[in-house]
Every structure is written in structure tokens, then in C-alpha cells.
Amino acid sequence: MNAADLALLLQEANSAPWESVQSALDMVDGATHPRIGWLTTHLTQTKRGYWAAIAEATGCPPPPDDAGLRRLMDWEVEQTRQLSPQQLSTELTYSEQVMTVAEVLRLNARHSVWHAGQLAALAGRVRSA
């Protein structure tokens, strides 16, 4: 996959109208399940971790420190579009696994969609005491 393909994959995982992190967050209304906050924090931290590893391996900029999840998702799509074929094939170690930058980006998309499903399942549940 090239940078444009990977950017599209992340864009769809992050913000497609159906079956994305953003579409799941848009379903959250009123009293929410407490796990929703944990999941959004976890996604933000994990995306920062992926991009810190990518930045270290490729020399590209790390994510903005002040970006929340929604801004971070937009940022990473734009950053992915700018990666060269050489940067995408650069190897790095993430979570004790040697991967290419492209493989980390695919992992990022899978991870995002995995948690989008969890967010969507929790979005309609009202917290009970």
C-alpha cells in the first residue's frame, strides 16, 4: 500500500460516516457508559504511541501535544499522506515487534475500528447506579 492508500484506510477507520471512531462517538448522547471515556483516552494514547515510534524512525514530526482524539485523527491522516515510500518501508520496533511503518499504520487502522465497535456498542447504554 502506498501513502495515499494508507491515508484513506485511516481516514475511513477514523471518520467514515458509518463504522468509524467518529460515527461511534456521534452516537454518544446524554449519560454515557464510563468505559467510553476510557476507550477514547486509550485510542488517543495509542495513536500517540504509534506516531512517536514513526516519528523517531522516519524523522517526521510527532503528533501535536495538545491534540485531542478528533484533531489527532485528522492530523494522522494528513501526516500519512506525506510519507515517502522509503519512510513507509522503514522498520521500527513497536510493542517488542519489528514492523515497517506501513504495518504500524495498518495496525493503527485495525485498532481504531476494533474500538469503534466497542464505542458503538456502549453508546446507547445508559449508566446505571
Side-chain angles (χ1 to χ4, degrees), residues 6 10 34 45 47 64-66 72 74 85 98 103 111 120 123 127-128:
L6 290 163
L10 277 172
Q45 291 172 339
K47 286 178 176 295
D65 289 334
D66 62 344
L72 183 57
D74 290 340
V98 176
E103 289 170 328
H111 186 252
R127 185 172 134 187
S128 59

Side-chain angles (χ1 to χ4, degrees), residues 69-118:
L69 180 58
R70 291 174 199 233
R71 187 168 150 226
L72 183 57
M73 290 189 301
D74 290 340
W75 177 89
E76 73 178 350
V77 170
E78 291 307 313
Q79 189 62 43
T80 299
R81 284 190 180 109
Q82 297 176 31
L83 294 173
S84 70
Q86 294 85 358
Q87 288 172 312
L88 291 173
S89 63
T90 300
E91 288 188 342
L92 56 85
T93 301
Y94 184 81
S95 192
E96 300 180 13
Q97 299 291 318
V98 176
M99 305 179 201
T100 65
V101 168
E103 289 170 328
V104 171
L105 292 171
R106 292 195 328 264
L107 171 63
N108 182 355
R110 289 191 311 272
H111 186 252
S112 296
V113 173
W114 175 267
H115 288 309
Q118 293 173 327

